[in-house]
Amino acid sequence: MADWNQLQNELLEALLNEDEDAALSLARQALAEGATPTEFFTDCITPALVEIGNRFESLDIYLPEMVVAAEIVQHMNDEVIQPQITAAQASQAASQGKVLLAMAQGDLHDIGKNMVALLLRVNGFEVVDLGINVPPQDIVAGAEREQVDIIGMSSLLTTCLPYMKDTMDMLQAKGLRDKYAVIVGGAASTPEFSARIGVDAQGHTAAEAVRICRSIMAGRRQQPA
Ligand code: B1M
Protein backbone atom coordinates (compact mmCIF):
# COMPACT_ATOMS: atom_id res chain seq x y z
CA MET A 1 0.00 0.00 0.00
CA ALA A 2 1.63 3.27 -1.14
CA ASP A 3 2.25 6.02 1.40
CA TRP A 4 0.54 8.79 -0.60
CA ASN A 5 1.46 11.56 1.85
CA GLN A 6 5.12 10.75 1.53
CA LEU A 7 4.93 10.39 -2.25
CA GLN A 8 3.08 13.72 -2.54
CA ASN A 9 5.74 15.46 -0.44
CA GLU A 10 8.55 13.95 -2.46
CA LEU A 11 6.91 14.91 -5.73
CA LEU A 12 6.19 18.42 -4.47
CA GLU A 13 9.82 18.83 -3.53
CA ALA A 14 10.95 17.59 -6.95
CA LEU A 15 8.56 20.01 -8.69
CA LEU A 16 9.64 22.96 -6.55
CA ASN A 17 13.30 22.09 -7.16
CA GLU A 18 12.54 21.79 -10.88
CA ASP A 19 14.09 18.32 -10.70
CA GLU A 20 12.53 16.40 -13.58
CA ASP A 21 14.76 13.34 -13.13
CA ALA A 22 13.65 12.96 -9.50
CA ALA A 23 9.97 13.34 -10.49
CA LEU A 24 10.24 10.74 -13.25
CA SER A 25 12.07 8.23 -11.10
CA LEU A 26 9.55 8.73 -8.28
CA ALA A 27 6.74 7.87 -10.69
CA ARG A 28 8.59 4.85 -12.10
CA GLN A 29 9.36 3.56 -8.61
CA ALA A 30 5.79 4.01 -7.33
CA LEU A 31 4.41 2.09 -10.31
CA ALA A 32 7.05 -0.62 -9.95
CA GLU A 33 6.00 -1.01 -6.31
CA GLY A 34 2.38 -1.60 -7.25
CA ALA A 35 0.59 1.76 -7.50
CA THR A 36 -1.63 1.90 -10.58
CA PRO A 37 -1.02 4.79 -13.01
CA THR A 38 -4.48 6.27 -12.35
CA GLU A 39 -3.95 6.03 -8.59
CA PHE A 40 -0.59 7.76 -8.95
CA PHE A 41 -2.14 10.51 -11.08
CA THR A 42 -5.10 11.04 -8.73
CA ASP A 43 -3.46 10.54 -5.33
CA CYS A 44 0.00 11.95 -5.96
CA ILE A 45 0.24 14.22 -9.02
CA THR A 46 -3.09 16.00 -8.55
CA PRO A 47 -2.63 16.94 -4.85
CA ALA A 48 0.96 18.03 -5.55
CA LEU A 49 -0.32 20.33 -8.30
CA VAL A 50 -3.06 21.67 -6.03
CA GLU A 51 -0.35 22.52 -3.48
CA ILE A 52 1.69 24.22 -6.24
CA GLY A 53 -1.44 26.27 -7.01
CA ASN A 54 -1.90 27.17 -3.34
CA ARG A 55 1.70 28.36 -3.11
CA PHE A 56 1.22 30.39 -6.28
CA GLU A 57 -1.91 31.94 -4.83
CA SER A 58 -0.13 32.86 -1.58
CA LEU A 59 2.79 34.29 -3.61
CA ASP A 60 5.30 31.75 -2.24
CA ILE A 61 6.08 30.83 -5.84
CA TYR A 62 5.55 32.70 -9.11
CA LEU A 63 4.24 31.92 -12.58
CA PRO A 64 7.55 30.64 -14.05
CA GLU A 65 7.79 28.02 -11.28
CA MET A 66 4.18 26.95 -11.90
CA VAL A 67 4.97 26.69 -15.64
CA VAL A 68 8.00 24.44 -14.98
CA ALA A 69 6.00 22.25 -12.56
CA ALA A 70 3.33 21.80 -15.24
CA GLU A 71 5.96 20.92 -17.85
CA ILE A 72 7.50 18.29 -15.58
CA VAL A 73 4.06 16.79 -14.92
CA GLN A 74 3.39 16.75 -18.66
CA HIS A 75 6.61 14.75 -19.16
CA MET A 76 5.68 12.37 -16.32
CA ASN A 77 2.36 11.80 -18.03
CA ASP A 78 3.84 11.33 -21.50
CA GLU A 79 6.75 9.11 -20.47
CA VAL A 80 5.49 7.07 -17.51
CA ILE A 81 1.76 7.34 -16.77
CA GLN A 82 0.18 7.32 -20.22
CA PRO A 83 2.15 4.38 -21.68
CA GLN A 84 1.31 2.26 -18.63
CA ILE A 85 -2.39 3.09 -18.74
CA THR A 86 -2.57 2.40 -22.46
CA ALA A 87 -0.73 -0.91 -22.10
CA ALA A 88 -2.75 -2.06 -19.09
CA GLN A 89 -6.26 -1.02 -20.05
CA ALA A 90 -6.51 -0.78 -23.85
CA SER A 91 -10.01 -1.90 -24.66
CA GLN A 92 -10.74 -4.13 -27.64
CA ALA A 93 -14.45 -3.47 -27.44
CA ALA A 94 -16.51 -1.63 -30.03
CA SER A 95 -17.01 2.08 -29.40
CA GLN A 96 -18.79 2.73 -26.12
CA GLY A 97 -19.91 6.14 -27.39
CA LYS A 98 -18.48 9.36 -28.78
CA VAL A 99 -17.46 12.19 -26.47
CA LEU A 100 -16.43 15.72 -27.39
CA LEU A 101 -14.03 17.31 -24.91
CA ALA A 102 -13.08 20.98 -24.69
CA MET A 103 -11.54 23.41 -22.25
CA ALA A 104 -13.84 26.40 -21.89
CA GLN A 105 -13.07 29.59 -23.79
CA GLY A 106 -10.14 31.43 -22.20
CA ASP A 107 -8.81 28.39 -20.34
CA LEU A 108 -5.37 27.11 -21.34
CA HIS A 109 -5.02 24.41 -18.65
CA ASP A 110 -5.12 20.91 -20.08
CA ILE A 111 -3.45 18.36 -17.77
CA GLY A 112 -6.74 17.17 -16.23
CA LYS A 113 -8.69 17.27 -19.50
CA ASN A 114 -5.96 15.19 -21.18
CA MET A 115 -6.26 12.58 -18.43
CA VAL A 116 -10.04 12.48 -18.94
CA ALA A 117 -9.46 11.98 -22.70
CA LEU A 118 -6.93 9.21 -22.09
CA LEU A 119 -9.11 7.29 -19.63
CA LEU A 120 -12.16 7.59 -21.88
CA ARG A 121 -10.16 6.28 -24.85
CA VAL A 122 -8.70 3.29 -23.03
CA ASN A 123 -12.20 2.48 -21.80
CA GLY A 124 -13.50 2.23 -25.35
CA PHE A 125 -14.91 5.71 -26.00
CA GLU A 126 -14.17 7.68 -29.15
CA VAL A 127 -12.93 11.10 -28.10
CA VAL A 128 -13.03 14.26 -30.18
CA ASP A 129 -10.66 16.54 -28.28
CA LEU A 130 -11.07 20.17 -29.32
CA GLY A 131 -8.27 21.22 -26.96
CA ILE A 132 -7.95 24.45 -25.00
CA ASN A 133 -9.66 27.84 -25.20
CA VAL A 134 -12.68 26.63 -27.20
CA PRO A 135 -15.49 29.16 -27.79
CA PRO A 136 -19.10 27.99 -27.25
CA GLN A 137 -19.93 28.17 -30.96
CA ASP A 138 -17.03 25.83 -31.77
CA ILE A 139 -18.21 23.34 -29.14
CA VAL A 140 -21.74 23.29 -30.55
CA ALA A 141 -20.49 23.16 -34.17
CA GLY A 142 -18.03 20.38 -33.23
CA ALA A 143 -20.77 18.30 -31.62
CA GLU A 144 -22.96 18.65 -34.70
CA ARG A 145 -20.13 17.95 -37.16
CA GLU A 146 -18.86 14.90 -35.27
CA GLN A 147 -22.31 13.65 -34.20
CA VAL A 148 -21.11 12.94 -30.67
CA ASP A 149 -23.25 11.48 -27.90
CA ILE A 150 -21.79 13.50 -25.04
CA ILE A 151 -20.34 17.00 -24.75
CA GLY A 152 -17.72 17.33 -21.99
CA MET A 153 -16.51 20.76 -20.92
CA SER A 154 -13.80 21.54 -18.42
CA SER A 155 -12.67 24.72 -16.69
CA LEU A 156 -10.13 25.49 -13.98
CA LEU A 157 -10.65 29.23 -14.11
CA THR A 158 -13.73 30.76 -12.49
CA THR A 159 -13.53 33.54 -15.10
CA CYS A 160 -14.26 30.96 -17.81
CA LEU A 161 -17.38 29.46 -16.23
CA PRO A 162 -19.72 31.92 -18.01
CA TYR A 163 -18.66 30.40 -21.32
CA MET A 164 -19.95 27.02 -20.18
CA LYS A 165 -23.29 28.66 -19.48
CA ASP A 166 -23.17 30.33 -22.92
CA THR A 167 -22.67 26.89 -24.46
CA MET A 168 -25.75 25.55 -22.66
CA ASP A 169 -27.76 28.60 -23.78
CA MET A 170 -26.60 28.11 -27.36
CA LEU A 171 -27.61 24.43 -27.33
CA GLN A 172 -31.02 25.45 -25.98
CA ALA A 173 -31.47 28.24 -28.53
CA LYS A 174 -30.64 25.91 -31.42
CA GLY A 175 -33.05 23.22 -30.15
CA LEU A 176 -30.15 20.84 -29.53
CA ARG A 177 -30.21 20.58 -25.74
CA ASP A 178 -31.88 17.17 -25.65
CA LYS A 179 -29.74 15.77 -28.44
CA TYR A 180 -26.58 15.71 -26.32
CA ALA A 181 -25.78 14.71 -22.76
CA VAL A 182 -23.56 17.40 -21.26
CA ILE A 183 -21.06 16.87 -18.46
CA VAL A 184 -18.66 19.33 -16.90
CA GLY A 185 -15.56 19.06 -14.76
CA GLY A 186 -12.44 20.85 -13.68
CA ALA A 187 -11.67 22.52 -10.38
CA ALA A 188 -13.73 25.67 -11.11
CA SER A 189 -17.12 24.01 -11.52
CA THR A 190 -19.14 23.41 -8.37
CA PRO A 191 -22.32 21.33 -7.96
CA GLU A 192 -24.31 24.59 -7.54
CA PHE A 193 -22.92 25.96 -10.80
CA SER A 194 -23.60 22.69 -12.64
CA ALA A 195 -27.17 22.63 -11.37
CA ARG A 196 -27.70 26.29 -12.27
CA ILE A 197 -26.63 25.90 -15.90
CA GLY A 198 -28.53 22.62 -16.22
CA VAL A 199 -25.87 20.12 -17.26
CA ASP A 200 -26.56 16.41 -16.88
CA ALA A 201 -23.63 15.61 -14.60
CA GLN A 202 -20.40 16.85 -13.07
CA GLY A 203 -17.27 14.72 -12.73
CA HIS A 204 -14.73 15.34 -10.00
CA THR A 205 -12.05 13.02 -11.33
CA ALA A 206 -11.16 11.50 -14.69
CA ALA A 207 -12.25 8.07 -13.45
CA GLU A 208 -15.60 9.54 -12.43
CA ALA A 209 -15.97 11.07 -15.91
CA VAL A 210 -15.64 7.56 -17.37
CA ARG A 211 -18.26 6.16 -14.96
CA ILE A 212 -20.66 9.00 -15.82
CA CYS A 213 -20.20 8.54 -19.58
CA ARG A 214 -20.78 4.79 -19.23
CA SER A 215 -23.97 5.36 -17.30
CA ILE A 216 -25.21 7.99 -19.80
CA MET A 217 -24.59 5.59 -22.69
CA ALA A 218 -26.30 2.71 -20.86
CA GLY A 219 -29.35 4.97 -20.39
CA ARG A 220 -29.30 5.97 -24.07
CA ARG A 221 -29.11 2.36 -25.23
CA GLN A 222 -32.24 1.57 -23.20
CA GLN A 223 -34.23 4.36 -24.83
CA PRO A 224 -36.53 3.33 -27.70
CA ALA A 225 -35.13 4.46 -31.09
CO1 B1M B 1 -3.05 27.89 -13.45
N1 B1M B 1 -4.42 28.37 -12.14
N2 B1M B 1 -3.14 29.67 -14.18
N3 B1M B 1 -1.63 27.28 -14.61
N4 B1M B 1 -2.94 26.38 -12.38
C1 B1M B 1 -4.95 27.32 -11.28
C2 B1M B 1 -6.15 26.60 -11.91
C3 B1M B 1 -5.30 28.05 -9.93
C4 B1M B 1 -6.43 27.37 -9.12
C5 B1M B 1 -4.03 28.26 -9.09
C6 B1M B 1 -4.31 29.05 -7.83
O1 B1M B 1 -4.29 30.26 -7.87
N5 B1M B 1 -4.58 28.38 -6.72
C7 B1M B 1 -5.72 29.45 -10.53
C8 B1M B 1 -7.19 29.63 -10.88
C9 B1M B 1 -7.94 30.48 -9.88
C10 B1M B 1 -9.37 30.59 -10.22
O2 B1M B 1 -9.79 30.84 -11.31
N6 B1M B 1 -10.19 30.38 -9.21
C11 B1M B 1 -4.82 29.55 -11.74
C12 B1M B 1 -4.46 30.75 -12.40
C13 B1M B 1 -4.90 32.04 -11.73
C14 B1M B 1 -3.71 30.78 -13.59
C15 B1M B 1 -3.31 32.00 -14.43
C16 B1M B 1 -4.39 33.10 -14.57
C17 B1M B 1 -2.01 32.56 -13.81
C18 B1M B 1 -1.51 33.86 -14.43
O3 B1M B 1 -1.24 33.90 -15.61
N7 B1M B 1 -1.40 34.87 -13.61
C19 B1M B 1 -2.97 31.36 -15.79
C20 B1M B 1 -4.21 31.24 -16.67
C21 B1M B 1 -3.90 30.77 -18.04
C22 B1M B 1 -5.18 30.51 -18.81
O4 B1M B 1 -5.71 29.42 -18.75
N8 B1M B 1 -5.71 31.51 -19.50
C23 B1M B 1 -2.53 30.01 -15.34
C24 B1M B 1 -1.57 29.25 -16.03
C25 B1M B 1 -1.13 27.99 -15.64
C26 B1M B 1 0.04 27.24 -16.28
C27 B1M B 1 0.14 27.45 -17.80
C28 B1M B 1 1.32 27.69 -15.65
C29 B1M B 1 -0.26 25.78 -15.81
C30 B1M B 1 -1.16 24.96 -16.78
C31 B1M B 1 -0.36 24.08 -17.74
C32 B1M B 1 -1.25 23.09 -18.43
O5 B1M B 1 -2.34 22.72 -18.02
N9 B1M B 1 -0.77 22.64 -19.57
C33 B1M B 1 -1.07 26.03 -14.55
C34 B1M B 1 -1.25 25.07 -13.52
C35 B1M B 1 -0.39 23.83 -13.59
C36 B1M B 1 -2.17 25.26 -12.46
C37 B1M B 1 -2.43 24.35 -11.24
C38 B1M B 1 -1.27 24.53 -10.29
C39 B1M B 1 -2.62 22.89 -11.54
C40 B1M B 1 -3.71 22.58 -12.59
C41 B1M B 1 -3.79 21.11 -12.80
O6 B1M B 1 -3.25 20.59 -13.77
N10 B1M B 1 -4.37 20.39 -11.83
C42 B1M B 1 -3.79 24.94 -10.69
C43 B1M B 1 -4.01 24.71 -9.21
C44 B1M B 1 -5.19 23.76 -8.94
O7 B1M B 1 -5.66 23.03 -9.76
N11 B1M B 1 -5.69 23.83 -7.72
C45 B1M B 1 -3.85 26.26 -11.32
C46 B1M B 1 -4.37 18.94 -11.81
C47 B1M B 1 -5.47 18.39 -12.72
C48 B1M B 1 -5.36 16.86 -12.76
O8 B1M B 1 -6.70 18.75 -12.15
O9 B1M B 1 -7.56 19.90 -14.25
O10 B1M B 1 -8.90 19.89 -12.09
P1 B1M B 1 -7.97 19.21 -13.00
O11 B1M B 1 -8.61 17.85 -13.53
C49 B1M B 1 -9.08 16.79 -12.71
C50 B1M B 1 -10.54 16.95 -12.30
O12 B1M B 1 -10.95 18.30 -12.14
C51 B1M B 1 -11.29 16.20 -13.35
O13 B1M B 1 -10.41 15.17 -13.75
C52 B1M B 1 -9.07 15.59 -13.63
C53 B1M B 1 -8.24 14.42 -13.18
O14 B1M B 1 -8.83 13.67 -12.16
N12 B1M B 1 -11.72 16.87 -14.57
C54 B1M B 1 -12.86 16.50 -15.20
C55 B1M B 1 -11.11 17.83 -15.30
N13 B1M B 1 -11.82 18.11 -16.38
C56 B1M B 1 -12.90 17.30 -16.36
C57 B1M B 1 -13.94 17.18 -17.26
C58 B1M B 1 -14.95 16.26 -16.95
C59 B1M B 1 -14.91 15.49 -15.80
C60 B1M B 1 -13.85 15.59 -14.90
O15 B1M B 1 -16.00 16.09 -17.74
C61 B1M B 1 -16.03 16.71 -19.00
Side-chain angles (χ1 to χ4, degrees):
M1 181 77 172
D3 181 344
W4 293 116
N5 273 337
Q6 192 189 330
L7 286 172
Q8 281 164 29
N9 289 336
E10 288 176 21
L11 178 59
L12 184 63
E13 200 180 320
L15 295 179
L16 292 171
N17 290 333
E18 305 187 356
D19 188 344
E20 180 166 328
D21 290 342
L24 285 169
S25 68
L26 184 76
R28 288 197 181 99
Q29 194 184 332
L31 299 195
E33 286 172 4
T36 68
T38 21
E39 267 172 1
F40 187 76
F41 185 85
T42 309
D43 296 331
C44 186
I45 292 182
T46 303
L49 279 175
V50 168
E51 182 55 26
I52 292 280
N54 293 343
R55 292 188 187 205
F56 169 75
E57 208 174 347
S58 58
L59 303 180
D60 290 329
I61 63 168
Y62 296 96
L63 191 57
E65 288 141 290
M66 194 157 77
V67 171
V68 173
E71 282 170 1
I72 294 176
V73 166
Q74 200 63 62
H75 293 157
M76 290 170 80
N77 279 344
D78 292 348
E79 289 172 35
V80 186
I81 309 291
Q82 178 162 340
Q84 291 252 5
I85 291 181
T86 312
Q89 295 186 320
S91 164
Q92 308 300 319
S95 173
Q96 301 296 308
K98 200 168 180 183
V99 184
L100 178 146
L101 285 181
M103 292 305 295
Q105 181 169 346
D107 199 329
L108 308 179
H109 298 84
D110 65 357
I111 294 171
K113 184 266 297 164
N114 291 345
M115 180 51 71
V116 174
L118 173 63
L119 284 197
L120 283 170
R121 284 191 175 116
V122 297
N123 281 284
F125 287 87
E126 281 179 78
V127 176
V128 179
D129 186 347
L130 297 188
I132 53 175
N133 185 23
V134 189
Q137 61 272 25
D138 289 2
I139 295 177
V140 176
E144 284 289 274
R145 184 182 63 245
E146 299 285 345
Q147 289 296 298
V148 299
D149 301 293
I150 300 169
I151 296 174
M153 295 185 281
S154 178
S155 180
L156 271 69
L157 296 176
T158 44
T159 48
C160 299
L161 291 178
Y163 297 111
M164 288 186 172
K165 179 180 183 310
D166 290 352
T167 308
M168 297 306 290
D169 291 346
M170 198 172 286
L171 286 171
Q172 196 76 51
K174 287 179 180 288
L176 297 171
R177 175 61 191 97
D178 295 335
K179 185 171 172 188
Y180 302 106
V182 183
I183 75 169
V184 293
S189 38
T190 61
E192 295 72 32
F193 171 77
S194 303
R196 186 151 45 82
I197 69 168
V199 298
D200 297 289
Q202 183 192 342
H204 296 94
T205 64
E208 197 181 351
V210 174
R211 284 195 292 276
I212 291 170
C213 288
R214 272 208 195 107
S215 131
I216 288 170
M217 292 310 297
R220 291 199 152 201
R221 280 191 282 271
Q222 278 168 12
Q223 279 168 14

